[in-house]
């Protein structure tokens, strides 16, 4: 992230928590609702202590009624409050699509600018330990498809806090897509409230041979892949879009104009995904002057299986990322990183199952 | 709403305004000037008139795509509504909404939705905001019988009852969803009884008795302002027009004019009008005609939005 | 299920098999060999045992992510289930499902879902198919108290009642959704009363009385096979384990062991076991231990799916 | 379409109707459910007469309960029946997302091949006469994003019938996306049952200068645009993917390899849409040997407004398609077709509002 002037290391879930707490402190209209936000686990720690701090009027669980509760949050937002609605898995948001797509996204426009929906939806992608088909989906593309919604995907603790605060201040519905495997990762996080602006892609690492655009926790995997590639003499530029929608593609296009090679690594399916969108923007770019080679990686075009042998093949990994990048840079190469080098970041940190 | 009038006159004025407005809409409609699907509530206006008579300016009301009456009763500008139907930039949503998504935030008209049932939880959200802000305002949300079949209806009632939110749910049961009769959709007719299991006051009105509705709702809303929590009423009623469009459709075979007769004979516009002195009634009628004519003129003379405005309001600043 | 045994013995066998299987799962769990979130129903097994005892092989049962008991009671293979938990290719879903999405079509075990409530309408769909095929089969669908808050619960009950479908809805009310107590989620505790407004038979069981459940359900299912339509029962119960995972969690502060005591003291496994001759009981117990050990061995020795199989079964041919 | 050997002209809605009737006649497991399928309007004629022919057990309306009714259809399909579930607008399918995405799409895979979901979902896109924000959406990209679902989009009466029959025979969940403005269009439709195979893009018109890929009713608009362009000496190859997912991109890639220019015209939003996917496939193509110029058209990145002046600007039209194509072929050209030439096909045929 952009040289944060802090020496305090915070975990991702702590940063989410601090962001919400500060947003609630600075604006009494902010409240938080969602299944289990007030229990002793506090959404893996990310909401822990908030009910004690702000009271049960401002931090409360809900019935298992995702559809209506989304409507309630939207209505409260229209009436001037600033709700944060929390879902422990993105998969469950399929129950909220009607309210999000047909009401939240459209109200400001459909009502001629007379209504605003300052709603924040926090949602988490699950992975590993057999979470399987219905606890693993990264469905950001569906939301990015719809004008009126904003979608952000913090890949580190610094962004987790800054995007939370920005989302609460924004006057539009914003979906924050978090990742379970990032919850225990640490970065430098300033103590004071700050925002990470929407619509600005970040160059995470500069490089000259190939551009890798990575989404959510794939940023972490891409960084590991870049290490492997660097040992092979390949210089990788890594870009984290941060905001999935509205997307800042200019930063990506500039990088691709330099490297001529683009690997997009998504934390979701490829078909009609954000990886397709990025590729399409590059194809239509007015910035890029050279011919570009493009390749996409993401979830396999299957449902997510639970068993580890299949699950490993389902996800992009530092190994598959590095090999795909190598293939773009040097199609003749038969290089394959060895398995010890490829151990995934999360394998050290995450102990499942939820 | 003219406060110096008697209750009867005030209610009459409201019912008549809505009725006449929709009749004029139906007259204009074949000209294709109104390029918006219109869902008329002719015959059903007495419900929103009775209920909304109890609301203050700071209270909220939410209707459906069949929402002209709710919009007008809550104080929405007739000019802005008519212009909206015409797709003009002076419309209440600057031409982006048409008849199905009326809104007027200054008068507490919650934006309406053309996806059945979706307005219900949104209205509950307004009630939640009221509770959080600790004011004594209330919300009324109108819905059809069909809307109660949507899961979000049950979810919304439960949440509102759980949190004792200041909201009145009004089911306008015209026994039809488009052309489908209620017995093809409801396992039993016991909705009011069902809602009462959520521990909230409920009442069913099987006749078009505007005063009975008015009285019951008045009492409930008073208690609601003091924190009593939500309430539900079911009003049987009859839709005179086709589901969407300007015409009647008793000739289409899916319902009969005979079955409609008890309702049409007891038209509240007439029964209520008969309680007024003819002179008073005439003066109200005249005022209404003028008002509607002005609105039509306003709509006709207003400009269409400039195509360049297409990208305005995608995101709020 | 051994038909030559007495009813008490048959029910005991079922409850004991489920209990011991889950206890063994809990024992193995810390080894990380089971790479799947497990939701144990220890303490609740008597409900599915009592209900499913009435089902034929061609009938259907649908559980939830907390579905080991439903799967086993309906006749699902223990070997296949254990292998599925281990992620092995011999599992009931070839390692693609884990504990949360058990299935066994040959024995009428409808695929279970980890998205709360979603199994309810799917089960109703099976009942619709039965009606269309004009057989006398029935469906039983299990759900937690939390699931009844989802809109699809109300929608499903209405549709099943409207079409008189052969389905029994069983609400296992353990008063908890994860750690959230029911009074933070339900406006009132009157669900059984509410469901009866759909015009179907309903009954609430507030005690762990396996015979009362068994008897009532038997009568209802008999009538259901003759076209009587759906039925709903609510069984109060208690979850001994944490929501997900192998441990108990009374020390976590969200609930107390004291409140659990009445339930744990009246553990059906014990009260039912006491009605059996000790020798019979021992022989059942021994058989169960052998069966479970075999299943564990089977799971351990089975191979993992080959990564090349990843793309199998995306589309049916 | 592929030279159908029929001289019988049928309207699109009649072809949908005949396809369903024949599918129901040939397999007693097929039934149809959905709001209003049995009323006197019969989903704009497309289901008229079916209840008389097959009885109320096999053709019935439902309560307004899209979520559960989708689950019911899925369950019936799993149990061996073959439901056709009808929605009069695609927008309302946002209420069905949970069942479609989390159950229908995943069951065959998640249950290890032991369960099948032969479900057909018919759904219509609305347009014009003020249908507005919530009666106009083309949300096919969301469904195409999810492995396990199939999505087809008949652009003419011939395909409407053939795809319906194929969808019913297919053992997977298939979403048929129809378009209100196509309902009155006619084509040659054989009387006997026949199928239009999934996964085969069709070359609607051959040409050499530019490839236009068009979705759903945009095929009609593209044909009109091609007429305008032909008068300017530009030869257009028009491709109708027919199946949105799984997409046959090879046919598109071959065409693009020939023309070097690709204009994709979607009946939906661009961001993470099928137009992005097609562009991305072209970028990663192993068939295409030359550098390609790509441009996308689709819904404006706004909510659909009701008023005609804005609505006209919201949709691609023969004029905007022709001008975009001209711009790709000849960036210097300032050609603009005159308005009389550009009158939209549907403006002659469709009388609103629903
Ligand atoms: C979710 C959804 N499903 C279906 C429709 C199509 N539709 C529009 S109005 C309507 C009938 C609604 O009936 P009811 O709620 O009783 O209201 P009424 O029209 O009788 O006032 C239907 C099914 C829709 N707009 N939204
Ligand atoms: C739609 C949905 N929302 C939330 C969750 C997270 N979740 C998993 S289990 C559960 C509690 C369900 O409670 P209940 O239905 O009573 O079943 P129990 O676990 O008590 O058996 C929740 C909220 C989910 N899986 N699906
Ligand atoms: Mg109605
Ligand atoms: Mg429970």
């Amino acid at each position: 992230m952009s040289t944060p002037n802090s020496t305090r290391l915070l975990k991702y879930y702590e940063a989410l928590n601090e962001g919400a707490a500060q947003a609630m402190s600075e604006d009494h209209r902010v409240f938080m609702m969602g299944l289990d936000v007030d229990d002793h686990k506090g959404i893996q720690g990310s909401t822990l202590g908030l009910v004690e701090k702000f009271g049960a009027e401002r931090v409360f669980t809900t019935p298992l009624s995702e559809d209506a509760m989304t409507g309630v949050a939207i209505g409260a937002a229209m009436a001037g409050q600033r709700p944060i609605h929390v879902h422990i898995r993105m998969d469950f948001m399929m129950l909220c699509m009607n309210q999000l797509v047909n009401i939240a996204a459209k109200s400001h426009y459909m009502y001629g600018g007379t209504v605003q929906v300052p709603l924040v939806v926090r949602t988490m992608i699950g992975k590993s330990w057999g979470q399987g088909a219905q606890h693993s989906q990264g469905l950001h593309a569906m939301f990015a498809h719809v004008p009126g919604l904003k979608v952000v995907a913090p890949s580190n603790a610094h962004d987790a806090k800054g995007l939370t605060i920005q989302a609460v201040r924004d006057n539009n519905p914003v979906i924050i897509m978090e990742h379970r495997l990032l919850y225990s990762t640490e970065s430098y996080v300033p103590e004071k409230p700050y925002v990470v602006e929407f619509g600005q892609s970040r160059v995470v690492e500069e490089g000259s041979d190939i551009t890798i655009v990575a989404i959510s926790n794939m940023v972490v995997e891409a960084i590991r892949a870049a290490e492997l590639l660097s040992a092979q003499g390949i210089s990788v530029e890594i870009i984290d879009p941060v905001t999935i929608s509205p997307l800042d593609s200019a930063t990506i296009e500039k990088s691709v104009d330099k490297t001529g090679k683009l690997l997009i690594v998504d934390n979701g399916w490829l078909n009609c995904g954000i990886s397709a969108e990025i590729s399409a923007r590059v194809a239509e770019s007015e910035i890029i002057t050279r011919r570009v080679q493009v390749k996409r990686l993401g979830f396999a075009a299957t449902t997510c299986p639970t068993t580890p042998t299949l699950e490993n093949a389902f996800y992009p990994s530092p190994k598959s990322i590095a090999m795909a990048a190598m293939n773009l840079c040097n199609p003749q190469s038969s290089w394959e990183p060895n398995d010890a080098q490829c151990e995934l970041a999360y394998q050290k940190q995450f102990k499942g199952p939820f | 709403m003219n406060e110096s009038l008697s209750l009867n006159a005030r209610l009459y004025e409201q019912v008549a305004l809505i009725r006449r407005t929709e009749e004029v809409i139906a007259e204009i409609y074949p000209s294709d000037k109104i390029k918006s699907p219109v869902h008329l509530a002719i015959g059903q206006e007495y419900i929103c008139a009775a209920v909304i008579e109890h609301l203050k300016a700071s209270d909220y009301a939410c209707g459906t795509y069949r929402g002209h009456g709710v919009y007008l009763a809550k104080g929405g500008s007739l000019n802005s509504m008519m212009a909206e139907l015409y797709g003009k930039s002076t419309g209440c949503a600057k031409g982006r909404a048409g008849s199905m998504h009326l809104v007027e935030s200054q008068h507490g008209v919650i934006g309406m939705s053309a996806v059945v049932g979706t307005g219900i939880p949104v209205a509950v959200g307004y009630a939640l905001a009221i509770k959080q802000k600790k004011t004594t305002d209330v919300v009324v949300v109108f819905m059809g019988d069909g809307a109660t079949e949507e899961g979000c209806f049950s979810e919304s009632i439960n949440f509102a009852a759980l949190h004792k939110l200041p909201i009145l749910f009004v089911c306008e049961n015209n026994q039809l969803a488009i052309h489908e009769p209620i017995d093809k959709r409801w396992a039993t007719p016991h909705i009011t009884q069902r809602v009462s299991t959520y521990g909230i006051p409920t009442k069913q009105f099987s006749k078009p008795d505007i005063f009975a509705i008015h009285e019951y709702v008045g009492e409930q809303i008073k208690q609601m302002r003091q924190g009593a929590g939500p309430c539900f009423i079911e009003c049987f009623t009859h839709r005179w027009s086709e589901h969407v469009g300007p015409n009647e459709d008793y000739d289409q075979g899916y319902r009969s004019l005979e079955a409609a007769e008890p309702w049409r004979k007891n038209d509240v516009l007439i029964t209520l009008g008969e309680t007024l002195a003819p002179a008073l009634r005439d003066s109200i009628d005249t005022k209404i005609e003028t008002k509607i004519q002005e609105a039509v003129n306003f709509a006709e003379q207003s400009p269409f939005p400039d195509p360049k405005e297409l990208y305005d309001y995608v995101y709020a600043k």
Side-chain angles (χ1 to χ4, degrees), chain A, chain B:
Chain A
M1 52 253 69
S2 51
T3 55
N5 63 7
S6 167
T7 54
R8 187 184 60 147
L9 276 174
L10 225 56
K11 291 207 159 66
Y12 190 87
Y13 74 85
E14 294 167 329
L16 287 169
N17 193 312
E18 187 169 280
Q22 290 179 352
M24 294 182 76
S25 293
E26 90 188 10
D27 186 342
H28 66 276
R29 299 170 304 173
V30 182
F31 70 96
M32 179 180 277
M33 58 187 254
L35 282 166
D36 314 317
V37 297
D38 61 354
D39 76 9
H40 63 281
K41 298 235 168 146
I43 312 290
Q44 319 287 357
S46 66
T47 65
L48 220 53
L50 296 179
V51 64
E52 287 77 9
K53 198 158 178 183
F54 299 102
E57 279 257 315
R58 289 180 69 190
V59 180
F60 55 89
T61 193
T62 69
L64 279 77
S65 306
E66 284 85 353
D67 177 16
M69 294 319 305
T70 304
V72 166
I74 291 168
M78 289 174 168
Q81 303 295 92
R82 303 186 86 83
I84 305 175
H85 188 193
V86 183
H87 299 276
I88 198 145
R89 282 294 176 281
M90 196 162 201
D91 313 68
F92 310 155
M93 287 183 67
M94 292 300 93
L95 285 158
C96 312
M97 291 302 276
N98 181 48
Q99 286 291 339
L100 289 174
V101 172
N102 284 328
I103 307 291
K106 298 186 168 35
S107 288
H108 186 63
Y109 193 92
M110 177 165 76
Y111 300 130
T114 65
V115 169
Q116 298 188 344
V117 186
L119 163 68
V120 179
V121 179
R122 274 189 50 197
T123 175
M124 204 193 303
I125 300 181
K127 181 173 172 183
S128 292
W129 265 263
Q131 310 229 0
Q134 300 172 328
H135 280 68
S136 60
Q137 291 169 90
L139 298 165
H140 40 302
M142 291 190 184
F143 300 103
H145 187 55
V146 184
L149 298 178
K150 297 187 179 182
V151 185
V152 299
S155 68
N156 57 73
H158 172 268
D159 288 0
K161 176 173 172 180
L163 291 170
T164 299
I165 293 175
Q166 177 56 34
V168 171
R169 291 187 192 166
D170 198 285
N171 286 322
N172 298 282
V174 180
I175 293 158
I176 304 180
M177 180 172 82
E178 306 160 8
H179 198 289
R180 179 70 184 94
L181 294 191
L182 293 172
Y183 263 49
S184 54
T185 61
E186 288 185 327
S187 26
Y188 292 105
V189 176
E191 288 177 40
K192 290 232 179 82
Y194 62 92
V195 302
V196 170
E197 297 286 351
F198 293 170
Q200 289 184 10
S201 296
R202 180 184 299 119
V203 178
V204 176
E205 289 186 7
E206 289 190 23
S208 52
D209 294 329
I210 181 168
T211 304
I212 299 185
V213 177
I215 310 287
S216 182
N217 75 317
M218 288 299 156
V219 174
V220 179
E221 313 290 25
I223 290 172
R224 291 182 69 87
E227 286 168 18
L228 300 172
L229 288 162
S230 149
Q232 302 297 313
I234 291 177
S235 161
V236 178
E237 181 139 308
I238 299 178
I239 297 181
D240 176 354
V242 185
T243 310
I244 307 288
S245 179
L247 176 73
D248 161 25
S249 56
T251 301
I252 297 170
E253 292 165 43
K254 267 178 228 142
S255 172
V256 171
D257 193 42
K258 178 174 71 178
T259 63
K261 296 183 191 64
L262 172 61
L263 176 65
I264 311 158
V265 190
D266 193 8
N267 196 67
W269 289 301
L270 299 187
N271 214 30
C272 300
I274 186 69
S275 66
E277 181 61 27
I278 292 170
S279 176
R281 300 263 182 117
V282 164
E284 289 171 88
S285 172
E286 288 172 3
I287 295 173
I288 300 171
T289 52
R290 59 197 286 184
R291 188 169 177 185
V292 179
Q293 284 170 274
V294 184
K295 168 91 188 141
R296 295 179 288 165
L297 287 181
F299 290 177
T302 74
T303 291
C304 179
T306 45
T307 186
T309 54
L310 298 183
E311 201 195 40
N312 286 344
F314 176 80
Y315 288 107
S317 63
K319 181 172 178 174
S320 66
I321 296 169
M323 286 176 68
M326 176 62 90
N327 191 262
L328 278 177
C329 293
N330 182 357
Q332 266 66 52
S333 165
S334 60
W335 170 73
E336 190 171 327
N338 72 49
D339 287 336
Q341 291 172 323
C342 293
E343 200 191 355
L344 302 180
Y346 78 86
Q347 287 177 339
K348 296 193 191 141
Q349 300 188 7
F350 179 68
K351 190 82 180 69
F354 273 117
Chain B
M1 185 65 56
N2 190 332
E3 288 294 337
S4 67
L5 292 176
S6 70
L7 173 63
N8 288 27
R10 293 206 303 277
L11 290 176
Y12 175 79
E13 184 178 39
Q14 206 54 266
V15 172
L17 172 67
I18 301 169
R19 172 74 55 91
R20 285 297 301 140
T21 300
E22 292 206 326
E23 285 175 348
V24 171
I25 289 170
E27 279 162 33
I28 299 172
Y29 207 71
S31 72
D32 256 358
K33 288 181 182 166
I34 294 178
K35 279 212 171 51
S36 173
V38 291
H39 299 75
L40 304 183
I42 291 177
Q44 305 188 177
E45 315 88 342
Y46 64 93
I47 305 171
C48 65
V51 169
I52 295 177
E53 209 276 328
H54 295 290
L55 299 191
K56 300 175 284 145
S58 59
D59 293 326
Y60 297 100
C62 184
T64 67
Y65 49 88
R66 198 182 301 289
H68 303 141
V70 172
Y71 174 98
L72 291 174
K74 188 63 186 65
S77 148
L78 177 55
N79 282 8
S80 304
M81 182 179 101
M82 199 61 84
E84 188 59 40
L85 268 57
Y86 274 73
K88 298 299 181 73
S89 60
T90 52
C92 61
K94 305 189 182 71
R96 283 154 181 80
S99 162
M100 299 198 291
H101 318 107
L102 296 174
V103 66
E104 205 183 292
S105 298
Q106 311 100 288
H107 292 90
V109 179
I110 297 176
M112 303 178 196
S113 165
V115 183
V116 174
T118 50
I120 304 171
V122 171
V124 172
Y126 276 82
L128 176 64
I130 289 171
K131 192 181 174 198
Q132 291 176 334
K133 293 178 192 167
K134 302 196 197 321
T135 74
T136 58
D137 295 336
V138 301
V139 181
V140 180
V141 58
F142 295 83
M143 68 203 74
D145 44 308
T148 67
E149 296 152 26
E150 295 285 359
C152 74
F153 170 75
S154 308
E155 294 181 355
S156 297
I157 298 267
N158 181 48
F159 183 77
L162 178 69
H163 285 268
K164 290 206 179 308
L165 302 182
I167 181 164
L168 172 67
F169 299 90
V170 180
C171 176
E172 302 179 313
N173 186 349
N174 60 12
Q175 331 270 321
L176 284 174
I178 307 190
H179 314 113
E180 298 291 3
I182 199 160
D183 58 7
K184 281 190 182 180
R185 301 179 282 109
W186 286 15
T188 65
H190 309 318
I191 182 132
T192 297
Q193 185 188 334
R194 182 174 312 134
V195 173
S196 72
T197 69
Y198 290 97
I200 66 175
T202 63
K203 197 165 171 68
Q204 187 188 61
F205 299 89
S206 56
K207 301 239 172 66
D209 184 343
I210 189 169
F211 295 109
I213 298 172
H214 183 268
E215 189 185 338
Y216 180 78
V217 166
E219 187 50 41
Q220 293 301 323
I221 285 187
K222 204 195 300 173
Q223 295 183 19
M224 212 176 271
R225 296 195 194 281
Q226 289 154 18
C231 174
F232 171 88
I233 64 170
E234 178 192 17
C235 303
F236 283 56
T237 189
H238 178 73
R239 188 191 82 209
W240 293 25
S241 310
E242 55 189 340
H243 168 69
V244 55
N247 305 308
E248 294 193 349
D249 67 350
Y250 296 100
D251 59 345
Q252 294 296 301
Y254 75 95
R255 59 174 185 168
S256 73
L257 191 51
E258 292 83 71
E261 269 318 320
W263 290 97
R264 298 178 67 110
K265 272 204 314 236
N266 290 300
D267 182 4
V268 174
L269 181 72
I270 295 174
T271 57
L272 193 56
E274 283 166 0
T275 70
L276 303 187
L280 174 58
R281 183 177 154 169
D282 285 352
S283 89
I284 293 175
D285 288 348
T286 311
K287 241 176 51 196
I288 286 173
E289 297 307 320
T290 311
K291 204 170 158 185
I292 294 174
Q293 202 44 59
E294 277 171 15
V296 172
N297 293 344
F298 176 77
E300 303 232 336
Q301 282 153 25
S302 293
F304 281 106
D306 189 305
K308 281 194 222 106
E309 293 171 30
L310 178 64
Y311 290 92
D312 293 351
Y313 307 122
V314 176
Y315 290 107
K317 300 225 175 67

